[in-house]
Amino acid sequence: MSAKTTALTVLTAALLAPTVLVGSAHAAPTPPADGKGGPAKAPAAAAPPASMSTVGGSLLGQPGTQVNLLPGAPALPANLTGRSWIVADAESGEVLAAYNAHWRLPPASTMKMLFADTLLPGLPKDQVHKVTDEDMEGVGPGSSLVGVKEDHEYSVHDLWLGVFLRSGNDAVHVLSAMNGGVEKTVRDMQAHAEELQALDTHVVSPDGYDAPEQVSSAYDLTLIARSGLQKKDFREYCGTASAKFPGLQEAGKPRDYFEITNTNRLMTGAGGLPPYKGIAGVKNGNTTMAGSTFTGAAQQGDRKLLVTVMNPGAGGANSVYEETAALFDWGFAAAGKVKPVGELVPPKSADTSPHGSPAQSHENNAAAGGGPAGGVGTALGVAGGALAVLAGGAYAVNRRWPRGRRSRGADEELV
């Protein structure tokens, strides 16, 4: 790891002190806004489509709450306002409960999970790039920025820290340029989404900036997060609470650095929220069209969960985190007390058995409103209420995708 980022707060199989988790961000060039300049009220919620994708199980294609409670199971949290959400076991891939799981909605910066999962393997982290004016073209007005400057050099490692911690659209565009440009990157991301069977996802911008027809779903975002968490670098970056980022470079002087802090409030405890016990990532987002979105990963004991919440209707910047935390609490308490309502499917290359059908092609109708368009064990090793991401090959314990009930037809329920 580069000596430039000695303030990284990721541990490898050791307990991270809570006082380190909550770092102060000073000299940051922009506020912790995401997408179009921070929290904003999204358009009024429309009804979910009557028919959605059945990838992962037919129940997941139905609107409304899907859960099979066994005797002694806790009730789902009351007063959930997200337009869509899902709770899944990160190792087995079982979906414990869901609400409009395949509703195709604007994803905001949670789209950066797909960006990272697609590009990380092809860009050496020690590669250094001098930023040009052309690299920064297309960064939308009001975008969240980490503070990348033209005519300055940054390592790939630096830029990924900017993507994951500050949701920096400037860093996304520079990495896209290094990948051959924004258009190629969008094509690469779309191809990777289809390989993952994230068939609700239509990529228009690599950073998640609001764009017509750019959509994903709670199901897809959870599937993408699960794929990303199999990569050591992805785990490291999404589980980093604070780091040093390169600042201005003046001739004859040492380069300046400033501290950046992760905008994931369940990790840092910002905004008056306590850090969530066992949190280990993954990505938050907020734009005008998407409202607030969040996919989180956490572990308590041997249980590892993924939760995605999209666009809570409740007011306040903390609502998406509060509803995610409530669903985490429920998922950990419900372990062994519910029958799964679906599953997170493996990539196409790992298993080609049928898993259900997508709702419609992206090209025919990708609008996000009420229209009809609509495993492997994770890398998490978290204990004591603080971050402790496992290093090296810890994720390989279940490297092969569990095949489970793969012969199930598209209309058969998972029970």
Coordinates of all heavy atoms in Angstrom, one line a residue, residues 245-344:
F245 N -5.3 12.3 1.1 CA -5.5 12.5 -0.3 C -4.5 13.6 -0.8 O -4.4 14.6 -0.2 CB -6.9 12.8 -0.7 CG -7.2 12.7 -2.2 CD1 -7.4 11.4 -2.7 CD2 -7.2 13.8 -3.0 CE1 -7.7 11.3 -4.1 CE2 -7.4 13.7 -4.4 CZ -7.7 12.4 -4.9
P246 N -3.9 13.4 -2.0 CA -2.9 14.4 -2.5 C -3.6 15.7 -2.8 O -4.6 15.7 -3.4 CB -2.4 13.7 -3.7 CG -2.6 12.3 -3.6 CD -3.9 12.2 -2.8
G247 N -2.9 16.8 -2.3 CA -3.4 18.1 -2.6 C -2.6 18.8 -3.7 O -2.1 18.1 -4.6
L248 N -2.4 20.0 -3.6 CA -1.6 20.8 -4.5 C -0.1 20.5 -4.5 O 0.4 20.2 -3.5 CB -1.8 22.3 -4.3 CG -3.2 22.8 -4.5 CD1 -3.3 24.3 -4.1 CD2 -3.8 22.6 -5.9
Q249 N 0.5 20.5 -5.7 CA 1.9 20.3 -5.8 C 2.6 21.6 -6.4 O 2.3 22.0 -7.5 CB 2.2 19.2 -6.8 CG 3.7 19.0 -7.1 CD 4.5 18.4 -5.9 OE1 4.2 17.3 -5.5 NE2 5.3 19.3 -5.3
E250 N 3.3 22.3 -5.5 CA 4.0 23.5 -5.9 C 5.5 23.2 -6.1 O 6.1 22.4 -5.4 CB 3.8 24.6 -4.9 CG 2.4 25.0 -4.7 CD 2.3 26.2 -3.7 OE1 3.3 26.9 -3.5 OE2 1.2 26.4 -3.2
A251 N 6.0 23.8 -7.2 CA 7.4 23.5 -7.5 C 8.4 23.8 -6.3 O 8.2 24.9 -5.7 CB 7.8 24.4 -8.7
G252 N 9.2 22.9 -6.1 CA 10.2 23.0 -5.0 C 9.7 22.8 -3.6 O 10.5 23.0 -2.7
K253 N 8.5 22.4 -3.5 CA 7.9 22.1 -2.2 C 7.3 20.7 -2.1 O 6.9 20.2 -3.1 CB 6.8 23.1 -1.9 CG 7.2 24.6 -1.8 CD 6.1 25.5 -1.4 CE 6.5 26.9 -1.3 NZ 5.3 27.8 -1.0
P254 N 7.3 20.1 -0.9 CA 6.6 18.8 -0.7 C 5.2 18.9 -1.1 O 4.5 19.9 -0.8 CB 6.9 18.5 0.7 CG 8.0 19.3 1.2 CD 7.9 20.6 0.4
R255 N 4.6 17.9 -1.6 CA 3.2 17.9 -2.0 C 2.3 18.0 -0.7 O 2.6 17.3 0.3 CB 2.8 16.7 -2.8 CG 1.4 16.8 -3.4 CD 1.2 15.8 -4.5 NE -0.1 16.1 -5.2 CZ -0.5 15.4 -6.2 NH1 0.2 14.4 -6.7 NH2 -1.7 15.7 -6.8
D256 N 1.3 18.7 -0.8 CA 0.3 18.9 0.3 C -0.7 17.7 0.3 O -0.9 17.1 -0.8 CB -0.5 20.2 0.1 CG -1.5 20.4 1.3 OD1 -1.1 20.1 2.4 OD2 -2.6 20.9 1.0
Y257 N -1.1 17.3 1.5 CA -2.1 16.2 1.6 C -3.2 16.7 2.5 O -3.0 17.5 3.4 CB -1.5 14.9 2.1 CG -0.7 14.2 1.1 CD1 0.7 14.6 0.9 CD2 -1.2 13.2 0.3 CE1 1.5 14.0 0.0 CE2 -0.4 12.6 -0.6 CZ 0.9 12.9 -0.8 OH 1.7 12.3 -1.7
F258 N -4.4 16.3 2.3 CA -5.5 16.6 3.2 C -6.3 15.3 3.5 O -6.3 14.3 2.8 CB -6.5 17.6 2.7 CG -7.1 17.3 1.3 CD1 -8.2 16.6 1.2 CD2 -6.4 17.7 0.1 CE1 -8.8 16.3 0.0 CE2 -7.0 17.5 -1.1 CZ -8.2 16.7 -1.2
E259 N -7.0 15.3 4.7 CA -7.7 14.1 5.1 C -9.1 14.1 4.5 O -9.8 15.1 4.4 CB -7.8 14.1 6.6 CG -8.4 12.8 7.2 CD -8.4 12.7 8.7 OE1 -8.1 13.8 9.3 OE2 -8.8 11.7 9.2
I260 N -9.5 12.9 4.0 CA -10.8 12.7 3.5 C -11.5 11.6 4.4 O -10.8 10.7 4.9 CB -10.9 12.3 2.0 CG1 -10.0 11.0 1.8 CG2 -10.4 13.4 1.2 CD1 -10.1 10.5 0.4
T261 N -12.8 11.7 4.6 CA -13.5 10.8 5.5 C -14.6 10.2 4.7 O -15.3 10.9 3.9 CB -14.0 11.5 6.7 OG1 -12.9 12.1 7.4 CG2 -14.8 10.6 7.6
N262 N -14.9 8.9 4.9 CA -15.9 8.2 4.2 C -17.3 8.9 4.5 O -17.6 9.2 5.6 CB -16.0 6.8 4.7 CG -16.6 5.8 3.7 OD1 -17.7 6.1 3.2 ND2 -16.0 4.7 3.4
T263 N -18.1 9.0 3.5 CA -19.5 9.6 3.6 C -20.5 8.6 4.1 O -21.7 8.9 4.3 CB -19.9 10.2 2.3 OG1 -19.9 9.2 1.3 CG2 -19.1 11.4 1.9
N264 N -20.1 7.3 4.3 CA -21.0 6.3 4.9 C -21.1 6.6 6.4 O -20.3 6.3 7.2 CB -20.3 4.9 4.6 CG -21.1 3.8 5.2 OD1 -22.1 4.0 5.9 ND2 -20.7 2.6 5.0
R265 N -22.3 7.1 6.7 CA -22.5 7.5 8.1 C -22.6 6.3 9.1 O -22.4 6.5 10.3 CB -23.8 8.4 8.2 CG -23.6 9.7 7.5 CD -24.8 10.6 7.7 NE -24.6 11.9 7.1 CZ -25.4 13.0 7.2 NH1 -26.4 12.9 8.0 NH2 -25.1 14.1 6.6
L266 N -23.0 5.2 8.6 CA -23.0 4.0 9.5 C -21.6 3.5 9.8 O -21.4 2.8 10.8 CB -23.8 2.8 8.9 CG -25.3 3.0 8.8 CD1 -26.0 1.7 8.2 CD2 -25.9 3.4 10.1
M267 N -20.6 4.0 9.1 CA -19.3 3.6 9.4 C -18.6 4.7 10.3 O -17.9 4.3 11.3 CB -18.4 3.5 8.1 CG -17.0 3.2 8.3 SD -16.1 3.0 6.8 CE -16.8 1.4 6.2
T268 N -18.8 5.9 10.0 CA -18.1 7.0 10.7 C -18.8 7.5 11.9 O -18.3 8.2 12.7 CB -17.7 8.1 9.7 OG1 -19.0 8.7 9.3 CG2 -16.9 7.6 8.5
G269 N -20.2 7.3 11.9 CA -20.9 7.9 13.0 C -21.2 9.4 12.8 O -21.6 10.1 13.7
A270 N -21.1 9.9 11.5 CA -21.4 11.3 11.2 C -22.9 11.5 11.3 O -23.7 10.6 11.2 CB -20.8 11.7 9.9
G271 N -23.2 12.8 11.4 CA -24.6 13.2 11.3 C -25.4 12.8 12.6 O -26.6 12.7 12.6
G272 N -24.7 12.5 13.7 CA -25.4 12.1 14.9 C -25.7 10.7 15.0 O -26.3 10.3 16.0
L273 N -25.4 9.9 14.0 CA -25.7 8.4 14.1 C -24.5 7.7 14.7 O -23.3 8.0 14.5 CB -25.8 7.9 12.7 CG -27.1 8.2 11.9 CD1 -27.0 7.7 10.5 CD2 -28.3 7.7 12.6
P274 N -24.8 6.7 15.6 CA -23.7 5.9 16.1 C -23.2 4.9 15.0 O -24.0 4.5 14.2 CB -24.3 5.1 17.2 CG -25.8 5.0 16.8 CD -26.1 6.3 16.1
P275 N -21.9 4.6 14.9 CA -21.4 3.6 14.0 C -22.2 2.3 14.2 O -22.4 1.9 15.3 CB -19.9 3.5 14.3 CG -19.6 4.8 15.0 CD -20.8 5.2 15.8
Y276 N -22.6 1.7 13.1 CA -23.3 0.4 13.2 C -22.4 -0.7 13.6 O -21.3 -0.9 13.0 CB -24.1 0.1 12.0 CG -25.0 -1.1 12.1 CD1 -26.2 -0.9 12.7 CD2 -24.6 -2.4 11.8 CE1 -27.1 -2.0 13.0 CE2 -25.4 -3.5 12.0 CZ -26.6 -3.3 12.6 OH -27.4 -4.4 12.9
K277 N -22.8 -1.5 14.6 CA -21.9 -2.6 15.0 C -21.7 -3.6 13.9 O -22.6 -4.2 13.4 CB -22.6 -3.4 16.2 CG -21.8 -4.5 16.7 CD -22.5 -5.2 17.9 CE -21.7 -6.4 18.4 NZ -22.4 -7.1 19.5
G278 N -20.4 -3.8 13.5 CA -20.1 -4.8 12.5 C -20.1 -4.2 11.0 O -19.9 -5.0 10.1
I279 N -20.3 -2.9 10.8 CA -20.4 -2.4 9.5 C -19.1 -2.5 8.8 O -18.0 -2.3 9.4 CB -20.9 -0.9 9.5 CG1 -21.3 -0.5 8.1 CG2 -19.8 0.0 10.1 CD1 -22.6 -1.1 7.6
A280 N -19.1 -2.8 7.5 CA -17.9 -3.0 6.7 C -18.0 -2.4 5.3 O -17.4 -2.8 4.4 CB -17.5 -4.4 6.6
G281 N -18.8 -1.4 5.1 CA -19.0 -0.8 3.7 C -20.5 -0.9 3.5 O -21.3 -1.2 4.4
V282 N -21.1 -0.6 2.2 CA -20.3 -0.6 1.0 C -20.4 0.8 0.4 O -19.4 1.4 0.2 CB -20.9 -1.7 0.0 CG1 -20.2 -1.6 -1.3 CG2 -20.7 -3.1 0.6
K283 N -21.6 1.3 0.0 CA -21.6 2.6 -0.8 C -23.0 3.2 -0.6 O -24.0 2.6 -0.6 CB -21.4 2.3 -2.3 CG -21.2 3.6 -3.1 CD -19.9 4.3 -2.7 CE -19.7 5.6 -3.4 NZ -20.5 6.7 -2.7
N284 N -22.9 4.6 -0.4 CA -24.1 5.4 -0.3 C -24.2 6.3 -1.5 O -23.3 6.5 -2.3 CB -24.0 6.3 1.0 CG -22.8 7.1 1.0 OD1 -21.7 6.6 0.8 ND2 -22.9 8.4 1.2
G285 N -25.4 6.9 -1.7 CA -25.6 7.8 -2.8 C -26.8 8.7 -2.6 O -27.6 8.4 -1.8
N286 N -26.8 9.9 -3.3 CA -27.9 10.8 -3.2 C -27.9 11.7 -4.4 O -26.9 12.4 -4.6 CB -27.9 11.6 -1.9 CG -29.1 12.4 -1.6 OD1 -29.5 13.3 -2.4 ND2 -29.8 12.0 -0.5
T287 N -29.0 11.7 -5.1 CA -29.2 12.7 -6.2 C -30.7 13.1 -6.2 O -31.5 12.6 -5.5 CB -28.9 12.1 -7.6 OG1 -29.8 11.1 -7.9 CG2 -27.5 11.5 -7.7
T288 N -31.0 14.1 -7.0 CA -32.3 14.6 -7.0 C -33.3 13.6 -7.5 O -34.4 13.4 -6.9 CB -32.4 15.8 -8.0 OG1 -31.5 16.8 -7.5 CG2 -33.8 16.4 -8.0
M289 N -33.0 12.8 -8.5 CA -33.9 11.8 -9.1 C -33.9 10.6 -8.2 O -35.0 10.0 -8.0 CB -33.4 11.4 -10.5 CG -33.6 12.5 -11.5 SD -33.0 12.0 -13.2 CE -34.0 10.6 -13.5
A290 N -32.8 10.2 -7.6 CA -32.7 8.9 -6.9 C -33.1 9.1 -5.4 O -33.5 8.1 -4.8 CB -31.3 8.4 -7.0
G291 N -33.1 10.3 -4.9 CA -33.2 10.4 -3.4 C -32.0 9.8 -2.8 O -30.9 9.7 -3.4
S292 N -32.1 9.2 -1.6 CA -31.0 8.6 -0.9 C -31.0 7.1 -1.2 O -32.1 6.4 -1.2 CB -31.1 8.8 0.6 OG -30.9 10.1 0.9
T293 N -29.8 6.5 -1.5 CA -29.7 5.1 -1.7 C -28.5 4.6 -0.9 O -27.5 5.4 -0.6 CB -29.4 4.8 -3.2 OG1 -28.2 5.4 -3.6 CG2 -30.6 5.2 -4.1
F294 N -28.5 3.3 -0.5 CA -27.4 2.8 0.3 C -27.4 1.3 0.2 O -28.5 0.6 0.3 CB -27.5 3.2 1.7 CG -26.4 2.7 2.6 CD1 -25.1 3.2 2.4 CD2 -26.6 1.8 3.6 CE1 -24.1 2.7 3.2 CE2 -25.6 1.4 4.4 CZ -24.3 1.8 4.2
T295 N -26.2 0.7 0.0 CA -26.0 -0.7 0.1 C -25.0 -0.9 1.2 O -23.9 -0.3 1.1 CB -25.5 -1.4 -1.2 OG1 -26.6 -1.2 -2.2 CG2 -25.2 -2.8 -1.0
G296 N -25.3 -1.7 2.2 CA -24.4 -1.9 3.3 C -24.1 -3.4 3.5 O -24.9 -4.3 3.2
A297 N -22.9 -3.7 4.1 CA -22.5 -5.0 4.4 C -22.1 -5.0 5.9 O -21.4 -4.1 6.3 CB -21.3 -5.5 3.6
A298 N -22.5 -6.0 6.7 CA -22.1 -6.0 8.1 C -22.0 -7.5 8.5 O -22.7 -8.4 7.9 CB -23.1 -5.3 8.9
Q299 N -21.3 -7.7 9.6 CA -21.2 -9.0 10.2 C -21.3 -8.9 11.7 O -20.8 -8.0 12.4 CB -19.8 -9.7 9.9 CG -19.6 -11.0 10.6 CD -18.3 -11.7 10.2 OE1 -17.6 -11.2 9.3 NE2 -17.9 -12.7 10.9
Q300 N -22.1 -9.9 12.3 CA -22.2 -10.0 13.7 C -22.1 -11.5 14.0 O -22.9 -12.3 13.5 CB -23.5 -9.4 14.2 CG -23.5 -7.9 14.1 CD -24.8 -7.3 14.7 OE1 -25.5 -7.9 15.4 NE2 -25.0 -6.0 14.5
G301 N -21.1 -11.9 14.7 CA -20.9 -13.4 14.9 C -20.5 -14.0 13.6 O -19.6 -13.4 12.9
D302 N -21.1 -15.1 13.3 CA -20.8 -15.8 12.0 C -21.7 -15.3 10.9 O -21.6 -15.8 9.7 CB -20.9 -17.3 12.1 CG -19.8 -17.8 13.1 OD1 -18.7 -17.2 13.1 OD2 -20.1 -18.9 13.7
R303 N -22.7 -14.4 11.2 CA -23.7 -14.0 10.2 C -23.2 -12.8 9.4 O -22.8 -11.8 10.0 CB -25.0 -13.7 10.9 CG -26.2 -13.5 10.0 CD -26.7 -14.9 9.5 NE -28.0 -14.8 9.0 CZ -28.7 -15.8 8.6 NH1 -28.2 -17.0 8.6 NH2 -30.0 -15.6 8.1
K304 N -23.2 -12.9 8.1 CA -22.8 -11.7 7.3 C -24.0 -11.4 6.4 O -24.6 -12.2 5.7 CB -21.6 -12.1 6.4 CG -20.4 -12.7 7.2 CD -19.3 -13.1 6.3 CE -18.1 -13.6 7.1 NZ -18.3 -15.1 7.4
L305 N -24.4 -10.1 6.4 CA -25.6 -9.7 5.7 C -25.3 -8.5 4.8 O -24.4 -7.8 5.0 CB -26.7 -9.2 6.7 CG -27.3 -10.2 7.7 CD1 -28.3 -9.5 8.6 CD2 -27.9 -11.4 7.0
L306 N -26.1 -8.5 3.7 CA -26.1 -7.3 2.8 C -27.5 -6.7 2.8 O -28.5 -7.5 2.8 CB -25.8 -7.8 1.4 CG -24.4 -8.2 1.1 CD1 -24.3 -9.0 -0.2 CD2 -23.5 -6.9 1.0
V307 N -27.6 -5.4 2.9 CA -28.9 -4.7 2.9 C -28.8 -3.5 1.9 O -27.8 -2.8 1.9 CB -29.2 -4.1 4.3 CG1 -30.4 -3.2 4.2 CG2 -29.5 -5.3 5.3
T308 N -29.8 -3.4 1.1 CA -29.9 -2.2 0.2 C -31.2 -1.6 0.5 O -32.3 -2.2 0.6 CB -29.8 -2.7 -1.3 OG1 -28.5 -3.2 -1.5 CG2 -30.1 -1.5 -2.2
V309 N -31.2 -0.2 0.6 CA -32.4 0.6 0.7 C -32.4 1.7 -0.3 O -31.3 2.4 -0.5 CB -32.5 1.2 2.1 CG1 -33.7 2.2 2.2 CG2 -32.6 0.1 3.2
M310 N -33.5 1.8 -1.1 CA -33.5 2.9 -2.1 C -34.6 3.9 -1.8 O -35.8 3.5 -1.7 CB -33.7 2.2 -3.5 CG -32.7 1.2 -3.9 SD -32.8 0.6 -5.6 CE -32.2 2.0 -6.5
N311 N -34.3 5.1 -1.7 CA -35.2 6.2 -1.7 C -36.3 6.2 -0.6 O -37.4 6.0 -0.9 CB -35.9 6.4 -3.1 CG -36.6 7.8 -3.2 OD1 -36.6 8.6 -2.3 ND2 -37.1 8.0 -4.4
P312 N -35.8 6.3 0.7 CA -36.8 6.4 1.7 C -37.7 7.6 1.5 O -37.2 8.7 1.1 CB -36.0 6.5 3.0 CG -34.7 6.0 2.6 CD -34.5 6.3 1.2
G313 N -39.0 7.5 1.9 CA -39.9 8.6 1.8 C -39.8 9.6 3.0 O -40.3 10.7 2.9
A314 N -39.2 9.1 4.1 CA -39.1 9.9 5.3 C -38.1 11.0 5.0 O -37.1 10.8 4.3 CB -38.7 9.1 6.5
G315 N -38.2 12.1 5.7 CA -37.3 13.2 5.5 C -36.0 13.0 6.3 O -36.0 12.2 7.2
G316 N -35.0 13.8 6.0 CA -33.8 13.8 6.7 C -32.7 13.0 6.1 O -32.9 12.0 5.4
A317 N -31.5 13.5 6.2 CA -30.3 12.8 5.6 C -30.0 11.5 6.2 O -29.3 10.7 5.6 CB -29.1 13.8 5.7
N318 N -30.5 11.2 7.4 CA -30.1 10.0 8.1 C -31.1 8.8 7.8 O -30.9 7.7 8.2 CB -30.1 10.2 9.6 CG -28.8 10.9 10.0 OD1 -27.8 11.0 9.3 ND2 -28.8 11.5 11.2
S319 N -32.2 9.1 7.1 CA -33.3 8.1 7.0 C -32.8 6.8 6.3 O -33.2 5.7 6.7 CB -34.5 8.7 6.3 OG -34.2 9.1 5.0
V320 N -32.0 6.9 5.2 CA -31.6 5.7 4.5 C -30.7 4.9 5.4 O -30.7 3.6 5.4 CB -30.9 6.1 3.2 CG1 -29.5 6.7 3.5 CG2 -30.8 4.9 2.3
Y321 N -29.9 5.5 6.3 CA -29.0 4.8 7.2 C -29.8 4.2 8.3 O -29.6 3.0 8.8 CB -28.0 5.7 7.8 CG -27.1 6.3 6.7 CD1 -27.2 7.7 6.4 CD2 -26.1 5.6 6.0 CE1 -26.4 8.3 5.4 CE2 -25.3 6.2 5.0 CZ -25.5 7.5 4.7 OH -24.7 8.1 3.8
E322 N -30.8 4.9 8.8 CA -31.6 4.4 9.9 C -32.4 3.2 9.5 O -32.6 2.2 10.2 CB -32.5 5.5 10.4 CG -31.8 6.6 11.2 CD -32.6 7.9 11.4 OE1 -33.7 8.0 10.7 OE2 -32.2 8.7 12.2
E323 N -33.0 3.2 8.3 CA -33.8 2.1 7.8 C -32.9 0.9 7.5 O -33.2 -0.2 7.7 CB -34.6 2.5 6.6 CG -35.7 3.6 7.0 CD -36.7 3.8 5.9 OE1 -36.8 3.0 5.0 OE2 -37.4 4.9 6.0
T324 N -31.7 1.2 7.0 CA -30.7 0.1 6.7 C -30.3 -0.5 8.1 O -30.3 -1.8 8.2 CB -29.4 0.7 6.1 OG1 -29.8 1.2 4.8 CG2 -28.4 -0.4 5.9
A325 N -30.0 0.3 9.1 CA -29.7 -0.3 10.4 C -30.8 -1.1 11.0 O -30.6 -2.2 11.5 CB -29.3 0.8 11.3
A326 N -32.1 -0.7 10.8 CA -33.2 -1.4 11.3 C -33.3 -2.8 10.6 O -33.6 -3.8 11.2 CB -34.5 -0.6 11.1
L327 N -33.1 -2.8 9.3 CA -33.1 -4.0 8.5 C -31.9 -5.0 8.9 O -32.1 -6.2 8.9 CB -33.2 -3.8 7.0 CG -34.5 -3.2 6.5 CD1 -34.4 -2.7 5.1 CD2 -35.6 -4.3 6.6
F328 N -30.8 -4.4 9.1 CA -29.7 -5.2 9.7 C -30.1 -5.9 11.0 O -29.9 -7.1 11.2 CB -28.4 -4.4 9.8 CG -27.5 -4.3 8.7 CD1 -27.0 -3.1 8.2 CD2 -27.1 -5.4 8.0 CE1 -26.2 -3.0 7.2 CE2 -26.3 -5.4 6.9 CZ -25.8 -4.1 6.5
D329 N -30.6 -5.1 11.9 CA -31.0 -5.6 13.2 C -32.0 -6.8 13.0 O -31.9 -7.8 13.7 CB -31.6 -4.5 14.1 CG -30.6 -3.5 14.6 OD1 -29.4 -3.8 14.5 OD2 -31.1 -2.4 15.0
W330 N -33.0 -6.5 12.1 CA -33.9 -7.6 11.9 C -33.3 -8.8 11.3 O -33.5 -10.0 11.8 CB -35.0 -7.1 11.0 CG -36.0 -8.2 10.6 CD1 -37.1 -8.6 11.3 CD2 -35.9 -9.1 9.5 NE1 -37.7 -9.7 10.7 CE2 -37.0 -10.0 9.6 CE3 -35.1 -9.2 8.4 CZ2 -37.2 -11.0 8.6 CZ3 -35.3 -10.2 7.4 CH2 -36.3 -11.1 7.6
G331 N -32.4 -8.7 10.3 CA -31.8 -9.8 9.7 C -30.9 -10.6 10.6 O -31.0 -11.9 10.6
F332 N -30.2 -10.0 11.5 CA -29.4 -10.7 12.5 C -30.3 -11.4 13.5 O -30.0 -12.6 13.8 CB -28.4 -9.8 13.2 CG -27.3 -9.3 12.3 CD1 -27.1 -8.0 12.1 CD2 -26.4 -10.2 11.7 CE1 -26.0 -7.5 11.3 CE2 -25.4 -9.8 10.9 CZ -25.2 -8.4 10.7
A333 N -31.4 -10.8 13.9 CA -32.3 -11.4 14.8 C -33.1 -12.6 14.2 O -33.5 -13.5 14.9 CB -33.2 -10.4 15.4
A334 N -33.3 -12.5 12.9 CA -34.1 -13.5 12.2 C -33.3 -14.7 11.7 O -33.9 -15.6 11.1 CB -34.8 -12.8 11.0
A335 N -32.0 -14.7 12.0 CA -31.2 -15.8 11.5 C -31.8 -17.2 11.9 O -32.1 -17.4 13.1 CB -29.8 -15.7 12.0
G336 N -32.1 -18.0 10.9 CA -32.6 -19.4 11.1 C -34.1 -19.4 11.4 O -34.7 -20.4 11.7
K337 N -34.8 -18.2 11.4 CA -36.2 -18.1 11.7 C -37.1 -17.7 10.6 O -38.2 -17.4 10.8 CB -36.3 -17.2 12.9 CG -35.6 -17.6 14.2 CD -35.7 -16.5 15.3 CE -34.9 -16.9 16.5 NZ -34.9 -15.9 17.5
V338 N -36.5 -17.6 9.4 CA -37.3 -17.3 8.2 C -36.9 -18.3 7.1 O -35.8 -18.8 7.0 CB -37.0 -15.9 7.7 CG1 -37.5 -14.9 8.8 CG2 -35.6 -15.7 7.4
K339 N -37.9 -18.5 6.2 CA -37.6 -19.2 4.9 C -37.2 -18.2 3.9 O -37.9 -17.2 3.8 CB -38.8 -20.0 4.5 CG -39.1 -21.2 5.3 CD -40.3 -22.0 4.7 CE -40.6 -23.3 5.5 NZ -41.7 -24.0 4.9
P340 N -36.2 -18.4 3.1 CA -35.8 -17.4 2.1 C -36.9 -17.3 1.1 O -37.6 -18.2 0.7 CB -34.5 -18.0 1.5 CG -34.6 -19.5 1.8 CD -35.3 -19.6 3.1
V341 N -37.0 -16.1 0.6 CA -38.0 -15.7 -0.5 C -37.3 -15.6 -1.9 O -38.0 -15.3 -2.9 CB -38.7 -14.4 -0.2 CG1 -39.5 -14.6 1.1 CG2 -37.7 -13.3 0.0
G342 N -36.0 -15.9 -1.9 CA -35.3 -15.8 -3.2 C -33.8 -16.0 -2.9 O -33.4 -16.4 -1.8
E343 N -33.0 -15.7 -3.9 CA -31.6 -15.9 -3.8 C -30.9 -14.9 -4.7 O -31.4 -14.4 -5.7 CB -31.2 -17.3 -4.2 CG -31.4 -17.7 -5.6 CD -31.0 -19.1 -6.0 OE1 -30.2 -19.6 -5.2 OE2 -31.4 -19.6 -7.0
L344 N -29.6 -14.6 -4.3 CA -28.7 -13.8 -5.2 C -28.1 -14.8 -6.1 O -27.3 -15.7 -5.7 CB -27.7 -13.1 -4.3 CG -28.3 -12.1 -3.3 CD1 -27.1 -11.5 -2.5 CD2 -29.1 -11.0 -3.9

